């Protein structure tokens, strides 16, 4: 009996909660995934959840138009064929792919227009802070 229980635990796939922030949206999308799930499947699930919740801006459902990023100093798009559990993180950012005419490299984070210097991370933290700025 103990062997049976041990075997079922060994074949069980680890699942965990991830949080995906969609660039330009109000808040993250959260759902549970298997660590063996491909990045492409995670993008597709995120787009379906986003549409089901009727969030704005409207994104569409073509997963080939989007890239998923891990937070970190060297931000590059994740390969759609990698497993989501291989990155060791639970928070991701989903962005639309840049237009072919404007992109210098496909796998780099698209440029974010900004008035002051800083990264998309600082912009993100400023946009989610509870402070209300008056202009």
């Amino acid at each position: 009996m103990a062997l049976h229980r041990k075997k079922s635990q060994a074949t069980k796939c680890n699942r965990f909660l991830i949080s995906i922030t969609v660039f330009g949206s109000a808040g993250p999308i959260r759902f549970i995934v298997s660590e063996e799930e491909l990045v492409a499947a995670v993008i597709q699930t995120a787009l379906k959840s986003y549409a089901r919740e009727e969030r704005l801006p409207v994104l569409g459902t073509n997963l080939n138009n989007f890239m998923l990023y891990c937070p970190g100093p060297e931000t590059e798009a994740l390969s759609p064929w990698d497993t989501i559990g291989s990155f060791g993180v639970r928070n991701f950012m989903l962005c639309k792919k840049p237009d072919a005419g404007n992109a210098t490299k496909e796998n780099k984070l698209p440029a974010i227009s900004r008035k002051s210097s800083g990264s998309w991370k600082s912009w993100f933290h400023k946009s989610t802070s509870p402070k209300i700025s008056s202009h």
Side-chain angles (χ1 to χ4, degrees):
M1 185 109 170
L3 291 176
H4 176 67
R5 191 177 298 163
K6 196 174 191 179
K7 184 180 177 185
S8 66
Q9 288 176 352
T11 59
K12 212 178 209 185
C13 191
N14 290 334
R15 297 169 53 115
F16 54 92
L17 179 71
I18 63 170
S19 178
I20 297 180
T21 302
V22 178
F23 187 72
S25 183
I29 298 169
R30 294 180 180 95
F31 53 93
I32 296 174
V33 296
S34 165
E35 68 180 5
E36 298 300 320
E37 200 160 345
L38 295 177
V39 169
V42 171
I43 292 172
Q44 186 173 19
T45 302
L47 291 173
K48 286 180 181 179
S49 296
Y50 188 90
R52 185 174 38 249
E53 294 175 13
E54 298 179 354
R55 291 182 178 222
L56 295 174
V58 176
L59 299 177
T61 56
N62 185 354
L63 69 99
N64 295 320
N65 293 337
F66 295 90
M67 297 179 290
L68 194 65
Y69 295 91
C70 279
E74 294 195 22
T75 305
E76 290 191 10
L78 306 179
S79 168
W81 305 113
D82 288 338
T83 57
I84 198 72
S86 65
F87 301 104
V89 296
R90 305 295 184 250
N91 296 315
F92 300 92
M93 185 160 190
L94 184 69
C95 297
K96 274 194 167 184
K97 286 184 179 178
D99 294 333
N102 296 336
T104 57
K105 270 193 165 180
E106 269 186 31
N107 62 346
K108 292 290 181 188
L109 184 65
I112 300 170
S113 63
R114 52 191 163 193
K115 292 180 183 173
S116 62
S117 64
S119 66
W120 67 269
K121 289 180 189 178
S122 63
W123 170 86
F124 176 72
H125 291 298
K126 287 178 186 176
S127 66
T128 57
S129 70
K131 295 180 183 176
I132 299 173
S133 61
S134 58
H135 292 241

